[in-house]
Amino acid sequence: MNAELLARAKSLGFSDRQIAHLTGTTEDALRAERKALGLIPSYRLVDTCAAEFEAYTPYYYSTYDRGDDEVTKTDTKKVMILGGGPNRIGQGIEFDYCCVHAAFALKADGFETIMVNSNPETVSTDYDTSDKLFFEPLTLEDVLHIYEREGCWGAIAQFGGQTPLNLALGLKKNGVNIIGTSPESIEIAEDRKLFSAMLDRLNIPQPKNGMATNEEEALTAAHNLSYPVLVRPSFVLGGRAMQIVYTDAELSHYMKFAVEASPERPVLVDKFLEDATEVDVDCIADVGNFPNPADGTVVIGAMLEHIEFAGVHSGDAAMVLPPHTLSQEVIATIRKYTHAMARELLVSGLMNVQYAVKGTTVYVLEVNPRASRTVPFVSKAIGFPLAKLAAQVMAGKSLKELGFTAEVWPKYWAVKESVFPFNRFPGQDIILSPEMRSTGEVMGLDADLGVAYAKAQMAANSPLPLKGRVFISVGDLHKGDVAAVAKSFADLGFELVSTNGTATVLEKAGLKVQRVFKLNEGARPNAVDLLKNKELQLVINTPSGASPRADEVKIRTTAVMTGTPIMTTLSGAKAAALGIAALQKHGYAVKTIQEYH
């Protein structure tokens, strides 16, 4: 490698990391060598308004081709905001909302805001959001160039989701002032051993767990915990490659084909808590701003109770705010644990905690000292812009100064429902899992929980029917609970349709059922025929086991293709019955979000 070759490689778009890999050196060493040669990028300007009118936000891209640098220099105190990068399933638009609110709040407080993001589809890259926009990839190399070029005072890494969070430690090592919660605290939350040690210190329960760097270790851990177990790689976004496994064969397949395990990136193996209620908590704290953490304030923005049982990714689950089935004792425990962890991690800004509640025991599943997907929903539901407040806290203000010191407990119900792209993927099974699949979310608000849930379903393009026929077919695991759910639909005036196994259970409970053939029996009519003929208004179909049968998948995908509302969990079916009952009784009224606040 020589100066001329290095300059050519950079001009062709090779990253330091790629060149280091190809030449047998490290990224840090190569960066030092490149800087010693004076080889740094220059930034060119894009006219965001195509010369039609004056562009207020300069929009830059980097190049190693010789030429003028078009960045305008200013003396204002600058804060860099790291965006979420390209949108994909698992990288929600919710993180972009947080970045935009941070830019607005800091601009109002007199900072110059510099947005780094490489996604033309989002609001953070609009021409009027920040003072300067760098349309660059979110890598250590590119972010360091911009930070040094602009002479930033600080950088925000906790608003763009997992992508910038993974850069936090590397940026700090290279002299970047990461404002808000420290990268060391982020590391404690991400590193399984450090995290477990923290929970032990605070006497907070967590599901039994283990770690594995290869297949043998994974099997040993699973046998120690007993199946089912939840397996996932560390440091992932949107629960990618996260799976509930029930057998040795499934676990071996997962370790061979789903992940690359290594000592730096071990696979986490957790005991899966079946039928536990999951709760998401978003909180804001300024503890890290004070020399004495006891002087700081911790405020819970919201507790969100999942409608689906634990095991569905929080980005996919339907949620209710405030919690609708939790006891006051459990709520007090959640509050106590959240405050303790925020103080222990010296949080400055936002923190999200995921809990699983089984009986009266509250387990901590994971803690993210960053903005979460639920921040926009929570902010709209409680009437306080959490992301704006968090940005101001990270820049040095206290929650007392900002006038947000008390938990807000709404006097109405807010239901979050996820929107899925299944109609774009014909044949893809729609069963929800720990791996995120939603591409958006909607909100239903009402004084009645059933109506709020029904509004959320309407907004998600799956409005609940008020009459007609409901097809019910559940796996053996759910046969014990299905009769009560079916009875609630029969009481609402629905006709019940079912295949033999489920029909026998419902008839034993004294319910009238029309039997239809299973798909594999070959006779007609079957559930798919009825769906295609629009003779079913609702489908309740839970999976029969760890691996779904082909006929189940056919029923679920046909329901999606025909636009028939479908529930794949009994908890979802109960919520649907509640919503239908409320609509039949009261109907629904429309009220703006401003009227609620």
Side-chain angles (χ1 to χ4, degrees):
M1 178 55 69
N2 56 54
E4 193 184 332
L5 189 58
L6 184 56
R8 186 151 175 257
K10 293 309 286 181
S11 141
L12 287 168
F14 283 86
S15 68
D16 286 352
R17 200 168 173 183
Q18 285 172 307
I19 299 167
H21 174 72
L22 292 168
T23 57
T25 180
T26 65
E27 186 179 354
D28 289 345
L30 195 100
R31 185 185 304 113
E33 183 188 337
R34 180 170 54 70
K35 281 181 159 180
L37 292 167
L39 191 58
I40 56 171
S42 56
Y43 292 92
R44 302 282 173 79
L45 190 65
V46 176
D47 182 355
T48 47
C49 300
E52 213 171 312
F53 44 89
E54 190 182 347
Y56 289 104
T57 298
Y59 195 116
Y60 299 108
Y61 66 96
S62 65
T63 175
Y64 277 88
D65 293 338
R66 306 256 179 259
D68 295 336
D69 191 298
E70 297 176 340
V71 172
T72 48
K73 287 209 166 173
T74 58
D75 297 326
T76 323
K77 203 172 184 184
K78 300 179 179 73
V79 174
M80 172 194 275
I81 300 162
L82 301 179
N87 264 13
R88 56 197 181 280
I89 294 177
Q91 176 69 55
I93 200 79
E94 300 89 342
F95 295 126
D96 203 68
Y97 164 101
C98 294
C99 293
V100 170
H101 274 233
F104 291 164
L106 294 175
K107 208 190 275 195
D109 280 358
F111 290 94
E112 184 175 322
T113 55
I114 291 164
M115 187 72 68
V116 181
N117 207 356
S118 54
N119 183 358
E121 277 291 302
T122 54
V123 184
S124 67
T125 53
D126 277 4
Y127 66 90
D128 56 355
T129 296
S130 53
D131 293 309
K132 284 180 184 167
L133 168 69
F134 285 83
F135 202 84
E136 293 287 283
L138 286 143
T139 67
L140 191 65
E141 176 185 344
D142 294 288
V143 172
L144 282 174
H145 281 153
I146 300 162
Y147 187 86
E148 289 161 6
R149 179 74 186 75
E150 284 291 333
C152 296
W153 165 71
I156 292 179
Q158 59 167 266
F159 279 174
Q162 195 70 37
T163 308
L165 210 64
N166 287 348
L167 296 176
L169 216 55
L171 290 171
K172 186 165 184 182
K173 280 177 188 158
N174 282 281
V176 172
N177 173 28
I178 300 284
I179 62 172
T181 308
S182 74
E184 289 78 9
S185 290
I186 292 167
E187 190 75 6
I188 290 170
E190 294 275 2
D191 183 294
R192 177 46 62 96
K193 283 181 184 160
L194 297 174
F195 181 57
S196 292
M198 179 191 83
L199 294 183
D200 291 343
R201 267 199 314 281
L202 298 173
N203 200 19
I204 295 174
Q206 61 179 322
K208 289 181 180 162
N209 58 68
M211 282 197 303
T213 57
N214 56 45
E215 186 184 333
E216 194 180 323
E217 285 178 17
L219 289 166
T220 306
H223 294 160
N224 289 341
L225 299 172
S226 79
Y227 289 108
V229 294
L230 179 70
V231 284
R232 58 191 167 134
S234 44
F235 293 92
V236 292
L237 170 76
R240 271 205 310 245
M242 205 189 268
Q243 200 176 316
I244 300 163
V245 297
Y246 294 83
T247 63
D248 283 358
E250 280 179 41
L251 184 56
S252 296
H253 185 271
Y254 175 87
M255 293 300 289
K256 279 193 187 96
F257 301 107
V259 289
E260 276 184 48
S262 70
E264 295 78 45
R265 287 279 186 270
V267 167
L268 311 178
V269 186
D270 294 340
K271 174 65 184 159
F272 176 61
L273 302 170
E274 288 188 285
D275 296 341
T277 301
E278 207 164 318
V279 181
D280 254 69
V281 175
D282 281 315
C283 87
I284 184 168
D286 59 13
V287 180
N289 295 4
F290 293 89
N292 178 6
D295 296 336
T297 309
V298 179
V299 183
I300 289 179
M303 293 184 197
L304 300 148
E305 183 180 339
H306 292 209
I307 287 174
E308 290 85 2
F309 281 131
V312 172
H313 191 280
S314 59
D316 287 354
M319 298 183 190
V320 178
L321 182 170
H324 64 301
T325 68
L326 301 184
S327 67
Q328 286 306 311
E329 179 194 353
V330 164
I331 287 169
T333 304
I334 289 173
R335 191 174 287 125
K336 182 177 119 186
Y337 289 171
T338 306
H339 280 251
M341 288 186 290
R343 290 192 186 281
E344 183 71 16
L345 289 166
L346 302 175
V347 170
S348 171
L350 292 164
M351 179 178 89
N352 169 263
V353 191
Q354 285 165 23
Y355 293 100
V357 180
K358 194 142 188 182
T360 55
T361 309
V362 177
Y363 296 93
V364 171
L365 299 178
E366 64 176 300
V367 174
N368 292 305
R370 60 165 167 85
S372 73
R373 278 182 193 82
T374 42
V375 164
F377 171 80
V378 166
S379 299
K380 288 181 168 75
I382 66 171
F384 284 89
L386 292 183
K388 276 184 180 165
L389 294 169
Q392 291 172 294
V393 163
M394 290 156 78
K397 287 193 173 173
S398 72
L399 285 170
K400 282 179 183 147
E401 269 178 85
L402 296 168
F404 187 67
T405 55
E407 209 173 301
V408 178
W409 203 264
K411 301 265 189 299
Y412 44 84
W413 300 98
V415 175
K416 183 209 108 173
E417 183 56 281
S418 300
V419 177
F420 298 94
F422 295 128
N423 58 349
R424 307 288 175 92
F425 297 101
Q428 172 74 35
D429 194 12
I430 67 165
I431 287 295
L432 302 181
S433 72
E435 187 162 3
M436 185 174 159
R437 295 162 126 196
S438 66
T439 49
E441 57 189 44
V442 294
M443 177 180 198
L445 290 177
D446 204 87
D448 181 288
L449 176 57
V451 175
Y453 181 80
K455 283 180 176 179
Q457 297 308 311
M458 289 175 207
N461 281 335
S462 185
L464 297 171
L466 297 183
K467 58 181 196 297
R469 299 163 93 197
V470 53
F471 173 76
I472 305 174
S473 172
V474 298
D476 292 340
L477 273 176
H478 307 111
K479 291 257 172 39
D481 304 315
V482 72
V485 175
K487 185 178 185 308
S488 61
F489 281 97
D491 292 346
L492 291 168
F494 282 81
E495 291 176 41
L496 306 180
V497 179
S498 198
T499 49
N500 282 335
T502 307
T504 305
V505 174
L506 299 183
E507 282 167 354
K508 269 187 190 161
L511 294 166
K512 188 182 170 193
V513 190
Q514 180 196 335
R515 290 181 183 240
V516 291
F517 295 106
K518 285 186 172 176
L519 270 68
N520 59 13
E521 289 170 355
R524 305 312 255 283
N526 57 43
V528 168
D529 297 330
L530 298 182
L531 280 166
K532 286 179 176 172
N533 295 339
K534 298 280 186 187
E535 291 176 45
L536 295 176
Q537 280 63 52
L538 182 71
V539 173
I540 298 167
N541 179 232
T542 68
S544 58
S547 48
R549 291 200 304 262
D551 52 352
E552 284 177 29
V553 176
K554 192 90 188 289
I555 290 169
R556 292 193 281 262
T557 53
T558 307
V560 169
M561 287 321 187
T562 55
T564 310
I566 173 164
M567 303 292 155
T568 58
T569 61
L570 286 186
S571 48
K574 284 175 193 167
L578 189 72
I580 292 166
L583 286 181
Q584 286 181 352
K585 193 173 175 184
H586 314 293
Y588 66 93
V590 174
K591 199 168 159 184
T592 66
I593 197 163
Q594 288 79 5
E595 288 173 86
Y596 281 99
H597 301 320

